[in-house]
């Protein structure tokens, strides 16, 4: 079945450091891939998405490229800020064995940025 | 920007009591979902709903759970007899009328349920 694996946290970085959060997936067909962010005490917000191979999603300085050959969708940011401290969830939306579409989430990676 | 709204934001209930969590999806959306997140754990799919019926449900969504769209705007999750392990953040979500893989689902801010 479909699944998402993302790196365990927490990830602790200093402000202005480079961020990578790894995400790999297994899926049948051609899923769409997403990163959601959850700030403390808040719900899930869509950060970026990519719907086909080689697409790059970007938002707020974050980027992720849909790599079909490595089944990956790693999240990157060149210079993190304290305000980026949150939990980041990788997700895919793909077809299930019953023919419906469903979102599958990774376990989340907590990022803490220190001033 | 349109958003999914949920009430209550936080509810404390005694074990064995019934709880109803309410959601108002985005107005032109036709697919509705409930997810839950036990503290510190992954976001888990519970159920999806389309055309006034459940289109898919997970193994978590057993007989104690039910969903309903009682009118044109609300979408509710009922837990009949709550257990301690039902304590979690429950997220409602909705998505656009087409069912392509690229559709984004939009989440509410969640309802935090604490069962004591």
């Amino acid at each position: 079945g479909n699944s998402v694996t993302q790196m365990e946290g927490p990830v602790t970085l200093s402000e202005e450091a480079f961020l990578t959060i790894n995400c790999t997936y297994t899926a049948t067909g051609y899923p769409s891939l997403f990163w959601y962010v959850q700030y403390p005490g808040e719900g899930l917000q869509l950060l970026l998405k990519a719907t086909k191979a080689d697409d790059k999603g970007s938002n707020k300085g974050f980027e992720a490229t849909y790599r079909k050959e490595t089944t990956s969708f790693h999240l990157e940011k060149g210079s993190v800020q304290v305000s980026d401290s949150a939990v980041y969830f990788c997700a895919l939306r793909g077809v299930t064995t019953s023919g419906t579409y469903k979102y599958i989430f990774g376990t989340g990676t907590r990022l803490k940025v220190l001033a | 920007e349109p958003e999914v709204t949920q009430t209550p934001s936080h509810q404390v209930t005694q074990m064995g009591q019934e709880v109803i969590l309410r959601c108002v999806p985005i107005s032109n959306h036709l697919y509705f979902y409930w997810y839950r997140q036990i503290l510190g754990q992954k976001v888990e799919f519970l159920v999806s709903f389309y055309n006034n019926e459940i289109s898919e449900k997970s193994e978590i969504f057993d007989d104690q759970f039910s969903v309903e769209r009682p009118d044109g705007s609300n979408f509710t999750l009922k837990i009949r007899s709550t257990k301690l392990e039902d304590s979690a953040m429950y997220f409602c979500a909705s998505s656009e009328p087409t069912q392509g893989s690229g559709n984004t689902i939009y989440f509410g801010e969640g309802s935090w349920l604490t069962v004591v």
Side-chain angles (χ1 to χ4, degrees):
Chain A
N2 298 342
S3 67
V4 174
T5 303
Q6 61 181 109
M7 65 188 286
E8 298 233 358
V11 173
T12 303
L13 296 173
S14 298
E15 209 164 25
E16 299 182 6
F18 185 85
L19 168 72
T20 300
I21 300 178
N22 289 339
C23 172
T24 57
Y25 68 91
T26 56
T28 53
Y30 303 95
S32 292
L33 302 172
F34 304 80
W35 278 100
Y36 282 82
V37 58
Q38 185 179 33
Y39 297 104
E42 299 186 15
L44 294 166
Q45 300 175 26
L46 176 67
L47 182 59
L48 54 84
K49 74 175 189 181
T51 58
K52 60 182 187 298
D54 301 324
D55 268 3
K56 178 187 282 188
S58 61
N59 186 24
K60 299 181 182 178
F62 290 90
E63 292 183 340
T65 301
Y66 188 143
R67 301 273 187 214
K68 197 169 191 306
E69 64 277 13
T70 53
T71 61
S72 65
F73 192 55
H74 305 321
L75 182 69
E76 296 181 335
K77 186 174 186 182
S79 176
V80 293
Q81 306 300 311
V82 173
S83 56
D84 294 326
S85 298
V87 181
Y88 292 82
F89 291 90
C90 185
L92 74 79
R93 178 174 164 85
V95 66
T96 67
T97 52
S98 58
T100 59
Y101 286 95
K102 193 162 86 173
Y103 265 69
I104 304 291
F105 285 84
T107 52
T109 302
R110 182 175 299 279
L111 170 66
K112 186 172 182 180
V113 181
L114 305 175
Chain B
E1 185 177 324
E3 57 182 22
V4 177
T5 56
Q6 291 185 237
T7 53
S9 56
H10 189 192
Q11 182 163 353
V12 180
T13 189
Q14 291 206 322
M15 196 167 52
Q17 295 297 302
E18 176 182 283
V19 162
I20 297 176
L21 305 178
R22 292 184 166 77
C23 170
V24 179
I26 294 172
S27 62
N28 67 331
H29 286 186
L30 297 179
Y31 293 88
F32 313 117
Y33 311 84
W34 283 100
Y35 285 78
R36 80 171 185 190
Q37 183 185 26
I38 295 172
L39 185 63
Q41 298 187 25
K42 69 191 301 183
V43 177
E44 301 173 295
F45 169 77
L46 291 179
V47 66
S48 59
F49 190 88
Y50 170 72
N51 200 26
N52 282 322
E53 60 183 21
I54 291 173
S55 50
E56 189 165 357
K57 60 182 181 179
S58 72
E59 60 277 7
I60 302 169
F61 194 88
D62 61 22
D63 290 345
Q64 70 163 335
F65 291 94
S66 62
V67 289
E68 195 177 38
R69 189 155 162 81
D71 53 43
S73 59
N74 289 286
F75 178 53
T76 61
L77 175 69
K78 182 191 287 186
I79 309 174
R80 284 192 189 83
S81 177
T82 49
K83 303 191 282 276
L84 294 176
E85 54 265 35
D86 294 327
S87 296
M89 178 76 91
Y90 289 81
F91 291 106
C92 176
S94 68
S95 67
E96 296 151 328
T98 55
Q99 181 66 313
S101 73
N103 276 2
T104 303
I105 65 173
Y106 296 86
F107 288 85
E109 294 204 341
S111 293
W112 183 248
L113 175 65
T114 303
V115 181
V116 296

